[in-house]
Amino acid sequence: MDAGAAADGSLAARAEPGAGPSHWLHGYAAMVRWHLLSLRLWAPAATAIEILSGVGMVYGIGLLAPHLSARGALYATTGPAIVALILLGLILGPQLVAQEKMAGRYEYTLTMPVPRSAAAFAWYTVTLLIGLPAAAVTIAAGVVRFGVSLSVSAQLVPALLLGTFAITMLGYALAHAVSKPMATMLITQVLVFVAFGYAPINFPSSQMPHWLVEINRALPFLPMATVVRAGLTRGLVTGVWVSYLVLAAWALGSAWLALRALGRRG
Amino acid sequence: MSCRSCRDSLGLTMASASLAPPPAKSASGAGTGLTIERLTKIYPNGVRANDGISLRVDAGEIFGLLGPNGAGKSTLVQQVIGLLKPTAGSIQLGRFDLVDDPDAARQLCSYLPQAPVPIDALRLREAIELSGLIRTPARRARREDVRRRADELIDALQLREWERMVGTRLSGGVRRLVGFAMAAIQPGALTILDEPTNDVDPLRRRLLWDRVRALSDAGVAVLLVTHNVIEAEKSVDRLAVIDNGRVIAEGTPSSLKSSERGRLRLQVMLAPGVETPPMPGFVERHLRSSHTLLAVIPEAAAADGIEWAQRLLGDGIAEEYALGATTLEDVYIRMTGRVADGDGTG
Amino acid sequence: MSALAPTGVRVPVPRRGVARWLSGYLQMLRFEAASQRDWLPLLLVVELLIGAGMAIMYGFYVSSVPPRLAAFIVTGTPALALFPVGFVMLPTAIARRKLAGSYDYVRSLPAPRSATIAATASLYTVLVIPGAAVSLAVASWRYGVALHISPMIVPAVLLTSLTAASAGAAIGHGVTDPMVTSLIGNLIIFVVLLYTPVAFPPQQYPAWLVHLHELLPFYNMAIVLRAALSVGLVADVGRSYAILAAWTIAGLAFAGWIASRRR
């Protein structure tokens, strides 16, 4: 009768919910696949947008501020890649979720039997895969355009990983914790706007009013820029350890908010 | 209760050969059915969507939830799968409390929502296989098994020709079937289907019901939400009629129809634009829904009913008529006071 | 008529001609005003952000702001405020309708297509003015630049707002995929904010880019507004008016044509 049952024990109905690291890893790997396949249409476009925005920013800054000092040039070279990553983490993810919500498909992903933290980490992984190569291209473009030389150090790795994590989790939290999709899109676009123009990422903080710089020390953008720049230059930035702390705080806070929102029931 | 073992001996489980025997027989885990007790859900705006609903779905049983739009059916199933939190009441699946442990709910139950599944960029086959992979416990997930099971479902639902097509290019009905397959590939202890046959063509509807029966034969408890009374009658083992957040009737289709024993249904299609004709005395109740007039008459008045209908035809008031046994729809109409939503075909 | 309405409901007679167009226009104007009500505060905020916000931001990107540059930035501000409305907000509003499924519903209303487009365009033209004005005031205060406002400000504002609204209608109706709409919108904003001589003098830009922008609407919008707000900063404003008029008509015509096609 059940001829295939013995050979096919793996498809027995679940008698117990899964738990433990193997369950988490399984869910994580499956969600990475799910996201990559679902983004099949959009991942190449997202990468292209990332590169275009990054490189576009580099050359655009060159037009806005034609006479850059050596210091200014270093900022203009390293800044755009960071803003591009912020654009990716804060806009792309939330926009995709907002899209799903508006089309009424969001509910389905909430019913998938994957631990919430694994799903979040899978999303972060996909963001890295799309964002890091584009960031590299952007920095290269800056070097070409402004003729600066960078001193890359090992610090760059944790800086990029943590920075991207913080931004991605913030985007994730905004996408899931804010119930109205239009509100999410609005907030994230405002944030990117702030990151582009009201955070001293693409230009030195001396060009901004002091009080604005102080506010930025508490937001995630300036700390992220500081730690990444510390991995790309020597002696340009200060306050690196404090920046790591602030960034970590944002990362954990956003992740907590996002997971709590995902687990909440109406 | 339902007679699973009878069906088994008739070899009707061949189609579900690759699903392992249900854990219900081992009396552990989640395999002993769903029990909902006095479930109440009051939304923040004060709407009482579910009001003290109690019901039970056994392993291997197909249980239908029938009711008009806004009755609270989707709210009920959303609480089972953990998307909504009940205001009061309990939901138990085997030894698991689904209200306390929504994570367990997601892992023990599979769900086909009313809304379209988000598979825009995924190919049909990818979506089903990936769903199988996600839904299978890590320690027992093997690609070949998932692939084989996906093949079975694709063949059984006749989806082979769209296997490699991405979601955006699939029609609504095919997409629905894919959503069903994504749940059925690893049904868990309880499968929740919210309007599974919406948009599906009549041929494939039959195939889908066969698959649902195969699931229940393998020991899965199936909770089905539907508007389609006529389909429900043929496919479920037991059902509950829900209206205004409450269960107003529960039982097998036959037991519910027994209240209509001794009666016949006279269905008259009226010509456009005519007023409802006066009802002769033998008509017990009637309902007009646009051009259709549904009258319930006692069996003894069958000949009178036909004569009356033929007179209406002769006078040009009616275009056609049909006399037949009362259906579940008549019970439904009597209880809810309205005609079931949906196309009523199947 | 009574044969079509057996239950006694009066079926309206289809009308033709100018009277119908006008009544359709007014109907749609009322409908749009009601359905876009929740967009109003958003519009204002976005205009302020991109208008005054960008103007102030440009100041951070350069190490110093000499008076002539300040004058350019300030007089370019109202144009900046209008761009997001035309190229992001309006297309997004239309796209949102498509996603929610009410786009086809609006299409099935009895008003003529051109009247619907005209209603949307005129409504937005009026709605954008406060945001642009406030942005201008903020920028002028921040950079300490005095404005010389001439009567030309009226046609300047009306034409540029209309150009933005018609562009929005064209993109919103013309693009089928809402994600693409959003993408185009963001792309345009990005390009405009960095690569258009709106806030900075054209001398800073490569000649080929300036020539390109003399044909596109963005730079011309800035020129038209700048001419009405200052003295001596703009040479040939007539040409810009002509180009904007051409873009406006093209945009509205395209939108009208797209909206009336039956799929």
Side-chain angles (χ1 to χ4, degrees), chain B residues 133-144:
Chain B
L133 213 60
I134 291 177
R135 299 197 48 80
T136 305
R139 62 190 176 280
R140 286 184 287 179
R142 291 202 318 255
R143 285 283 183 86
E144 318 87 66

Side-chain angles (χ1 to χ4, degrees), chain A residues 1 7-8 10 14 16-18 23 26 33-34 38 40 100 104-105 107 110-114 116 265-266, chain B residues 13 18 41 78 82-83 85 95-96 99 106-107 113 115 120-122 126 133 135-136 138 140 143 145:
Chain A
M1 179 171 56
D8 201 30
S10 62
R14 279 182 197 250
E16 304 274 337
H23 172 69
H26 177 76
R33 274 193 75 198
W34 173 269
S38 295
R40 168 188 273 137
E100 299 270 292
R105 297 195 293 259
E107 179 189 78
L110 287 184
T111 67
M112 286 160 69
V114 171
R116 307 286 189 208
R265 296 168 283 168
Chain B
T13 53
S18 67
K41 175 65 182 169
Q78 283 176 358
L83 287 174
K85 187 161 182 210
R95 64 176 172 82
F96 295 96
V99 179
R106 286 182 293 138
Q107 293 180 60
D120 276 352
L122 276 79
E126 267 171 355
L133 213 60
R135 299 197 48 80
T136 305
R140 286 184 287 179
R143 285 283 183 86
D145 297 328

Side-chain angles (χ1 to χ4, degrees), chain C residues 10-24:
Chain C
R10 265 198 3 196
V11 177
V13 184
R15 290 143 74 190
R16 312 246 173 257
V18 180
R20 178 193 175 211
W21 196 95
L22 273 176
S23 85

Side-chain angles (χ1 to χ4, degrees), chain A residues 183-203:
Chain A
T184 301
M185 299 231 279
L186 179 65
I187 294 177
T188 52
Q189 288 188 317
V190 168
L191 283 177
V192 169
F193 185 76
V194 166
F196 178 72
Y198 287 82
I201 301 182
N202 288 332
F203 47 84

Side-chain angles (χ1 to χ4, degrees), chain A residues 43-87:
Chain A
T47 311
I49 292 171
E50 280 291 289
I51 295 179
L52 280 175
S53 345
V55 175
M57 253 186 277
V58 168
Y59 283 88
I61 297 174
L63 284 180
L64 291 183
H67 314 292
L68 281 173
S69 62
R71 193 155 181 268
L74 277 173
Y75 273 84
T77 304
T78 53
I82 299 164
V83 177
L85 282 173
I86 294 174
L87 182 85

